[in-house]
Amino acid sequence: LQGRAPAAFTWTLKGDVDGAMRESVNRVIRDVRKKKGNVLILVLNCGGTDLDAARGMAEDIAKAQSGDDAVQVIAFVPE
């Protein structure tokens, strides 16, 4: 958090992991930053077989956690 007080947001992902979901995650990260948030809790209630999209999404999430406007991402699978 780089010495900042936590400002957390939650987002639930539902459905199959694909290119659209990847863009949705990137949009949520941008929105969290706009709102001066620095923590994103992702609830992963999703599946699918698009491994390229899943890997790309994982890389985007990792990238979001670095830099001056880093967002710490906490993700979990509820079931």
Side-chain angles (χ1 to χ4, degrees), residues 12 57 62:
T12 300
M57 191 167 68

Side-chain angles (χ1 to χ4, degrees), residues 1-64:
L1 300 179
Q2 301 171 341
R4 299 178 291 169
F9 293 83
T10 302
W11 185 258
T12 300
L13 296 175
K14 295 180 182 177
D16 288 339
V17 176
D18 57 14
M21 182 177 285
R22 181 179 178 189
E23 180 52 38
S24 178
V25 169
N26 283 313
R27 191 171 36 255
V28 168
I29 291 168
R30 286 191 303 271
D31 288 347
V32 168
R33 286 181 172 141
K34 277 186 193 175
K35 295 175 182 178
K36 304 297 182 196
N38 55 13
V39 177
L40 174 60
I41 301 167
L42 281 178
V43 180
L44 303 174
N45 194 3
C46 50
T49 59
D50 188 341
L51 299 180
D52 290 331
R55 179 66 182 172
M57 191 167 68
E59 290 170 356
D60 295 343
I61 290 169
K63 184 178 176 184

